[in-house]
Amino acid sequence: MIAFPQSDLRWAIHSAASLPSFSAVSSPQQRRRPLCTNGSAGGSGSRTTPKPSVCTADELHYVPLPNNEWKLALWRYLPSPQGSRRNHPLLLLSGVGTNAIGYDLAPGSSFARYMSGQGFDTWILEVRGAGLSAKNSQVELKESLQGELEGISEELLGSTGAGLRDAAQVSAITSQLTEFGRALGNIVDGSQQPITQLTGLHNRFSITLEDFWKQLQLIGKYNWDFDHYLEEDMPTAMDYIRNQSRPEDGKLLAIGHSMGGILLYAMLSQDGYRGKCSELASVITLGSSLDYTTSRSSLKMLIPFVDPAKAVNLPVVPVGALLAAIYPLASYPPYLLSWLNPQISAQNMMHPELFERLVLKNFCTIPAKLLSQLSTAFEKGGLRNRSGTFFYKDHLHKSNVPLLALAGDKDLICPPEAVYETVKLIPENLATYKVFGEPRGPHYAHYDLVGGRMAYYQVYPRIIEFLSRHDTS
């Protein structure tokens, strides 16, 4: 039996007690009929099938990208009849290489369910390559949210001639992945003193990747970057949500965590540059910035992550498999990688079992092109477009959208000074900046703003207050 700190035990009891209120988001009839909708934004030609058990939303929608094989997954949480009446749907955007699970971790620890309980028609977008998004003509209802595309059918693997059958090609990519694991192990070995015992990380990494070989036929197609999300995935998803929810003014509310917030900043910047009336009624960012140069962000680790990927000509970085490989070294004796856990959550801010589920189920494979573009946030001028000609910071001052920027006092990935470096560019009458965490605790690391045990009491009410204030039609 696992012994939990008393504070975590209280949180577990609270979570169990909260189940009825979190779950009462739709009628019993709706709860008995989980939906998977696959069709056009207008709903014509859509079909309904049972959704996979891993999807805990009320509905799962698939949205095809124009001129692209990818179908985006949208998890929908219907507004509770007991909640306040809202004028706008709410879009939730996740961080880099993560899926919808971070917003819906467990019945008593679900940000998405909380928001629908407050009356918001809540949608989580899984961008291409994340979670249940799919890349085939017939949507594959995958039971895993790992993003590693586990369980791809034998048909897709090559029985119809679509898979990789060239043994030499498979061998070459396998060698590249092994070399990547070795290079990554060397980076961790060299950067963490005095951790010298970790010489076998690349072996553990290779073993964990046993199922990763199954997706070799897709690896070469993981060739997108941040701008693809910004210019294709987000507009497509927003159009679809508008057509489903029908807000009177055609606008959405949006919350972005980590890269999700960066996407929202970039959209506001583009709208300002183009003189376009924004399609967002208000925006909240959680641990996000366009410029990390003034902070000691641990995201600088992304830079050496990109280099070994380039060195072996590997188009992806399998972060989900990597975290699964090193998690035991971070969470069990002799705790060789104990530095990993605070990157995600501050001490005693998450129940251990929820933390383990987050680490093992929330992360996906990331294209090297995406990491390469995101790494420009550590260079002078901050994040820029793929051609290097547009700096997203430069036009934020033209935004006319109310924005709430939240930071965690112990966020090592996006420290408060990084958050402020971006939010200070928004006109003062529109921007609100708030750091959560107290000198004597509780403290907030990168994920705690979304799912830490105190977020329910401290962060969520602030979010509701801000959204309600700007949810006017």
Side-chain angles (χ1 to χ4, degrees), residues 24 172 287 473:
S473 57

Side-chain angles (χ1 to χ4, degrees), residues 14-319:
H14 162 73
S15 298
S18 301
L19 280 172
S21 61
F22 280 4
S23 301
V25 297
S26 53
S27 67
Q29 290 79 11
Q30 290 170 321
R31 298 295 295 176
R32 286 197 296 266
R33 295 194 308 157
L35 302 180
C36 171
T37 301
N38 175 27
S40 65
S44 60
S46 65
R47 63 181 177 83
T48 300
T49 60
K51 65 181 178 63
S53 59
V54 73
C55 178
T56 49
D58 298 315
E59 300 174 359
L60 175 64
H61 296 245
Y62 279 104
V63 187
L65 283 170
N67 306 314
N68 195 299
E69 295 179 275
W70 279 100
K71 295 177 184 290
L72 308 177
L74 279 166
W75 296 38
R76 186 183 191 181
Y77 302 78
L78 300 172
S80 168
Q82 286 75 43
S84 301
R85 183 184 180 280
R86 308 295 180 175
N87 296 308
H88 299 95
L90 173 63
L91 171 63
L92 304 182
L93 300 170
S94 304
V96 60
T98 60
N99 53 48
I101 279 183
Y103 281 118
D104 192 10
L105 194 56
S109 182
S110 172
F111 180 79
R113 190 65 68 190
Y114 177 90
M115 298 307 293
S116 68
Q118 295 291 318
F120 291 99
D121 186 7
T122 305
W123 302 73
I124 308 173
L125 169 61
E126 290 187 317
V127 293
R128 68 184 80 182
L132 293 176
S133 63
K135 192 181 193 311
N136 52 293
S137 57
Q138 298 296 321
V139 173
E140 189 81 22
L141 296 182
K142 299 179 286 295
E143 288 294 324
S144 170
L145 274 181
Q146 278 294 95
E148 307 300 336
L149 304 180
E150 296 171 322
I152 295 177
S153 67
E154 183 65 27
E155 179 182 13
L156 288 178
L157 283 172
S159 60
T160 61
L164 287 177
R165 290 168 295 192
D166 186 339
Q169 187 177 10
V170 172
S171 177
I173 297 179
T174 300
S175 298
Q176 290 175 359
L177 282 166
T178 301
E179 180 60 30
F180 172 77
R182 183 177 296 109
L184 201 54
N186 291 337
I187 288 169
V188 177
D189 284 344
S191 63
Q192 301 301 321
Q193 298 294 333
I195 302 173
T196 58
Q197 306 100 313
L198 203 55
T199 55
L201 176 58
H202 64 273
N203 293 329
R204 173 183 288 274
F205 180 59
S206 298
I207 293 171
T208 307
L209 285 173
E210 181 178 352
D211 289 331
F212 187 64
W213 313 135
K214 296 178 182 179
Q215 60 173 305
L216 289 178
Q217 82 282 6
L218 293 179
I219 283 178
K221 298 180 180 180
Y222 272 60
N223 60 352
W224 60 87
D225 54 25
F226 179 87
D227 287 350
H228 284 103
Y229 291 156
L230 177 64
E231 297 167 1
E232 298 176 18
D233 294 30
M234 282 185 63
T236 299
M238 289 173 66
D239 284 345
Y240 183 88
I241 293 171
R242 259 192 301 271
N243 282 313
Q244 294 290 319
S245 297
R246 301 290 182 181
E248 290 185 10
D249 60 1
K251 295 187 177 184
L252 280 65
L253 303 168
I255 300 175
H257 176 242
S258 196
M259 188 192 71
I262 298 175
L263 282 166
L264 293 173
Y265 280 133
M267 175 170 280
L268 294 179
S269 178
Q270 280 192 342
D271 289 346
Y273 173 74
R274 297 167 180 168
K276 175 184 175 183
C277 181
S278 179
E279 298 171 351
L280 298 168
S282 68
V283 163
I284 298 176
T285 64
L286 310 173
S288 305
S289 179
L290 293 174
D291 188 346
Y292 293 80
T293 58
T294 62
S295 72
R296 301 180 62 183
S297 168
S298 61
L299 268 184
K300 290 180 181 178
M301 289 190 296
L302 283 178
I303 298 174
F305 270 48
V306 174
D307 290 342
K310 289 181 177 178
V312 298
N313 196 30
L314 190 64
V316 299
V317 178
V319 171

